[in-house]
Each structure stands twice: as structure tokens, then as C-alpha cells.
């Protein structure tokens, strides 16, 4: 019997090693990885520049208290603010922690407590982030949620306008809902949401834990929508697999997070910062982001041509290299069948296959993945499961 809590329903795959876009199991079988550690390994596994940065930092120091200056933190913070609408950065260890920091900052800076989030959103699993999540299945079994969160329909500004008021501290949004089913926001909805927030003196928080750091072809996905959030959260793709989270906020919020207001012992750990700096210097190059856009367009074209017509497929949607294939049935057995064929994918809700390949994926690997998807999704025995 395992000594681990059964908090994950694990697949029958034990990893031995990984490199680039390939994972190898303990039996020597290789898999094309279109899950990337749930969107974490943005530059693939063991990217040379990230590995070199980690080795260099290992030979310098692993950890010091945040009571002392860490120059690598400053470098990463400067890159994050240079490529976003923010001016100040708080480092932590995960997306959930980044969202917790955002919730605390919004409440403290405004003196208000009401928070508005959206149905089918996902913001994490601590009590605060779980309360922000607009999915009942995430809440079940944990008793009453924090009462100051209110959920409204996604892509629906009329309902938002009815509930936003003088007690509202912030609206928290994923511009592409990840765990909720890969649901992109409408441009008109996002732009009107920002206008309503500004009109009512309400902060706009954009959760970029899954969408950020080049995943959609821009440094942050909100940049597709022409808005300027007050607070941005980031984590998954930030350090290519080394645990890290970041909350980025505008300068007007700086004084609300003074000494003693918030902390994270391991936040901004030198190893995580070394990895993050290497990732950001690579991903935030215009040429690299254009390649992500070109490859995402190619992948979507292939899916629309070869996968969308299949009877089991209801729709295909997404942005950049963050794509959902909605099916007419539960996809858990499809995920397992694809693993058997050598392709690692994810689900997003019961009926959506989620594709989050490393940003370095090649067009040849895209062709390989689409062929495997076609093989499994057109198999009558599998699709009739």
C-alpha cells in the first residue's frame, strides 16, 4: 500500500526520465507529452538553458531568508513588470498562493471584502482560492466557503453589472478558463468588464496561472484583449517545472503590502528564480512568441480539418497552445487510450480533452499528436465506451 494520500487518481505510468517533449516510463516506453506537467514545462523537460541556470545557482547558494536582498529576484521581477501592466511583484510557490496573495491585497488595499468570480472558474484549492473558484465540486466536503465571494455567469456582463456595487473589492477573471473546460472569454465581455470595474472603483484581477508566460503567444493572455489589469497572477509556466508563483500588481497597490502584511518563507527561492529568469529571457523574445503563434495556428488548423469532423467531437476551442476538444461523452477512457498509444494529454472537466504541449513543440510532433488523436477518437470501440 502506498504511503501517499489518494488525492490524485493516477494513471498506470511511472516516469523514469524526460527530455524536451518526450517522457519515458520505467519500462522504457516513450510518450509525446502534450500535457507538459499541466502546462508547467513551458520549454519542455530539462531545457538546456534552464538546467544550466539551475546548476550555476546550485553552486552559489540554494536559499537565504527574504530578509536579505536576492539579486535574482530583482531580475525576474523586472522582467515580469517589463512585459506586463504591473509594477510590483510578490513571489510565492504556486498559483494557489499567488491567488491568495491577490485576494489579500485586494481586500487590504480597498478596505472592501466582496469578490466577484465566474461560474466554472478555477483559482486553487486553499480555503481562499477554493472560495474564489466557481465550481461546486471543488467546494464539496469542506463546509461553508468564505461568504464574500459571489459567482456570476462567464461572458455575461449584464449579470455582472447587477451584482457589482460599492462593497466590491475586485473582480477575478481567467481570460481562458482552464480547469473549467478551456473556455475563452469574448473580447467585448472583457473590455466591458474592465470599464465597469473602473467606473465602480473595483480592482481587476486576471488569473494567468495557466494562460501566462507565452502559452497563448503573448507574454500574458490578457494582452490579446487590450486591457490593463490591476493585479495579475502567474505560476505554472514560469520556471519550467521548478515550483514558483508570482503576483504582479500596479504601483498604486504597493503601500498595502508593507512589511509584515504577507510573506512566504520559500517564496522567491534562488533556485526557482534562476529557472524563472532563464525561462523569461527565452520566452519573452518576439521571435519565440511568434513561433508559438504560428505553431498554435497550425495545430488548430490540423484539429479543425482532421479531428473536428469526427462523430465523437462536439467542438474545438482555445487560444494559443491551450486547446480543448469537447466530446459528446466522458473523456477519461479517451485519455487512457491515448496514453496507451504514447500521447500524454489532460482533461478539463468531464467532457473536454485538454492539450497543453510544451511551447517548443515542433510541427512534426504536432502532426504525430494529431494522427494519434485521430486514431483513438475515430476508433468505434473506444468512442462507444
Amino acid at each position: 500500500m502506498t504511503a501517499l494520500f489518494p488525492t490524485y487518481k493516477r494513471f498506470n505510468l511511472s516516469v523514469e526520465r524526460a527530455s524536451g517533449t518526450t517522457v519515458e516510463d520505467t519500462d522504457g516506453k516513450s510518450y509525446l507529452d502534450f500535457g507538459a506537467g499541466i502546462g508547467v514545462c513551458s520549454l519542455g523537460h530539462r531545457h538546456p538553458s534552464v538546467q544550466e541556470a539551475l546548476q550555476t545557482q546550485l553552486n552559489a547558494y540554494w536559499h537565504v531568508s527574504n530578509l536579505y536582498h536576492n539579486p535574482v529576484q530583482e531580475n525576474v521581477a523586472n522582467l515580469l513588470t517589463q512585459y506586463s501592466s504591473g509594477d510590483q511583484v510578490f513571489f510565492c510557490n504556486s498559483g494557489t498562493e499567488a491567488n491568495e496573495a491577490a485576494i489579500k491585497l485586494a481586500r487590504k488595499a480597498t478596505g472592501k471584502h466582496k469578490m466577484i468570480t465566474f461560474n466554472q472558474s478555477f483559482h486553487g484549492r486553499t480555503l481562499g482560492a477554493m472560495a474564489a473558484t466557481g465550481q461546486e465540486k471543488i467546494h464539496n466536503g469542506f463546509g461553508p466557503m468564505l461568504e464574500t465571494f459571489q459567482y456570476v455567469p462567464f461572458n455575461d456582463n449584464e449579470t455582472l453589472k447587477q451584482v457589482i456595487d460599492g462593497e466590491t473589492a475586485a473582480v477575478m477573471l481567467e481570460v481562458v478558463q482552464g480547469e473549467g473546460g478551456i473556455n475563452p472569454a469574448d473580447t467585448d465581455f472583457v473590455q466591458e468588464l474592465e470599464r465597469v470595474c473602473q467606473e465602480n472603483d473595483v480592482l481587476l484581477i486576471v488569473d494567468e496561472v495557466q494562460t501566462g508566460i507565452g502559452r497563448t503567444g503573448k507574454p500574458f493572455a490578457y494582452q490579446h484583449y487590450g486591457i490593463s489589469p490591476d493585479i495579475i497572477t502567474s505560476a505554472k509556466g514560469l520556471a519550467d517545472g521548478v515550483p514558483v508563483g508570482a503576483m504582479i500588481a500596479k504601483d498604486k497597490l504597493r503601500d498595502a503590502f508593507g512589511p509584515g502584511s504577507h510573506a512566504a518563507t520559500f517564496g522567491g527561492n534562488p533556485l526557482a528564480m534562476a529557472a524563472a529568469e532563464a525561462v523569461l529571457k527565452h520566452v519573452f523574445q518576439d521571435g519565440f512568441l511568434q513561433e508559438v503563434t504560428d505553431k498554435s495556428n497550425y495545430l488548430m488548423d490540423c484539429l479543425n480539418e482532421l479531428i473536428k469532423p469526427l462523430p465523437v467531437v462536439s467542438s474545438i476551442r482555445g487560444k494559443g497552445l491551450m486547446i480543448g476538444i469537447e466530446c459528446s461523452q466522458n473523456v477519461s477512457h479517451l485519455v487512457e487510450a491515448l496514453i496507451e498509444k504514447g500521447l500524454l494529454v489532460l482533461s478539463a472537466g468531464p467532457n473536454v480533452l485538454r492539450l497543453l504541449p510544451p511551447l517548443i513543440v515542433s510541427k512534426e510532433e504536432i502532426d504525430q499528436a494529431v494522427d494519434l488523436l485521430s486514431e483513438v477518437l475515430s476508433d468505434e470501440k473506444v468512442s462507444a465506451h
Side-chain angles (χ1 to χ4, degrees):
M1 178 181 289
T2 177
L4 296 170
F5 265 108
T7 51
Y8 297 95
K9 187 179 180 181
R10 289 184 167 89
F11 296 103
N12 187 27
L13 192 164
S14 296
V15 177
E16 179 75 17
R17 59 178 58 86
S19 179
T21 57
T22 302
V23 170
E24 185 177 319
D25 70 16
T26 50
D27 295 322
K29 181 179 177 179
S30 292
Y31 304 81
L32 179 59
D33 188 359
F34 263 51
I38 316 184
V40 166
C41 298
S42 50
L43 295 179
H45 301 278
R46 296 195 299 114
H47 190 277
S49 62
V50 180
Q51 189 161 321
E52 181 182 357
L54 282 168
Q55 289 171 337
T56 299
Q57 188 61 49
L58 273 170
N59 290 328
Y61 59 98
W62 301 352
H63 177 79
V64 291
S65 168
N66 279 311
L67 295 172
Y68 314 120
H69 292 286
N70 177 348
V72 192
Q73 279 190 9
E74 294 286 352
N75 295 345
V76 178
N78 286 335
L79 283 165
L80 289 171
T81 57
Q82 180 182 346
Y83 288 93
S84 75
S85 61
D87 306 292
Q88 304 289 314
V89 180
F90 174 84
F91 288 114
C92 48
N93 308 289
S94 68
T96 294
E97 287 187 28
N99 285 333
E100 286 281 348
I103 292 165
K104 285 183 65 175
L105 178 61
R107 289 169 62 122
K108 193 166 187 292
T110 64
K112 298 180 286 187
H113 306 138
K114 181 177 173 180
M115 308 279 292
I116 298 173
T117 62
F118 295 89
N119 296 339
Q120 295 307 118
S121 62
F122 181 82
H123 300 293
R125 294 183 184 272
T126 54
L127 283 172
M130 184 167 61
T133 294
Q135 297 188 56
E136 188 175 346
K137 68 179 183 181
I138 304 298
H139 303 163
N140 288 342
F142 294 100
M145 293 292 104
L146 296 177
E147 296 178 355
T148 54
F149 286 91
Q150 187 165 359
Y151 317 115
V152 298
F154 193 56
N155 280 326
D156 180 355
N157 272 311
E158 293 310 309
T159 304
L160 175 70
K161 291 174 185 177
Q162 293 171 17
V163 301
I164 200 167
D165 56 29
E167 297 302 313
T168 306
V171 175
M172 195 171 193
L173 169 75
E174 299 160 278
V175 293
V176 183
Q177 291 185 329
E179 303 294 328
I182 313 298
N183 304 310
D186 297 334
T187 299
D188 291 345
F189 162 72
V190 174
Q191 293 180 348
E192 178 67 5
L193 186 156
E194 180 186 49
R195 188 194 68 76
V196 171
C197 284
Q198 292 174 346
E199 188 177 84
N200 289 274
D201 196 24
V202 169
L203 297 176
L204 175 56
I205 303 170
V206 177
D207 178 343
E208 293 264 7
V209 168
Q210 190 166 150
T211 54
I213 318 300
R215 174 56 57 185
T216 67
K218 289 187 180 292
F220 294 95
Y222 78 80
Q223 291 162 338
H224 291 281
Y225 294 85
I227 62 170
S228 179
D230 299 296
I231 302 172
I232 306 149
T233 57
S234 177
K236 285 186 182 294
L238 183 52
D240 203 38
V242 179
V244 68
M247 180 196 66
I248 312 160
K250 288 186 173 177
D251 194 58
K252 66 182 181 181
L253 303 173
R254 174 189 176 96
D255 291 343
F257 255 22
S261 58
H262 196 52
T265 297
F266 296 103
N269 173 271
L271 295 176
M273 292 295 95
E277 183 176 18
V279 168
L280 296 181
K281 285 182 175 179
H282 196 97
V283 171
F284 285 173
Q285 298 177 63
D286 290 341
F288 183 85
L289 290 170
Q290 185 59 52
E291 287 179 12
V292 172
T293 299
D294 293 343
K295 288 184 285 193
S296 65
N297 290 337
Y298 181 75
L299 174 55
M300 188 63 84
D301 288 344
C302 291
L303 292 172
N304 282 325
E305 179 183 353
L306 299 172
I307 305 301
K308 191 174 182 180
L310 298 176
V312 73
V313 176
S314 304
S315 66
I316 297 176
R317 57 182 179 262
K319 192 175 287 292
L321 289 174
M322 182 178 179
I323 294 174
I325 303 172
E326 185 172 5
C327 297
S328 57
Q329 59 186 252
N330 189 290
V331 299
S332 58
H333 68 288
L334 298 175
V335 174
E336 291 179 358
L338 287 162
I339 291 174
E340 281 294 314
K341 292 288 185 180
L343 179 65
L344 304 183
V345 300
L346 306 161
S347 59
N351 298 329
V352 178
L353 291 173
R354 177 170 33 162
L355 308 182
L356 296 170
L359 306 183
I360 60 165
V361 67
S362 69
K363 289 186 176 180
E364 291 75 19
E365 289 166 333
I366 288 173
D367 289 339
Q368 181 185 347
V370 173
D371 286 345
L372 292 170
L373 283 163
S374 179
E375 187 177 338
V376 168
L377 296 180
S378 60
D379 186 331
E380 291 184 6
K381 291 180 182 178
V382 175
S383 61
H385 189 278

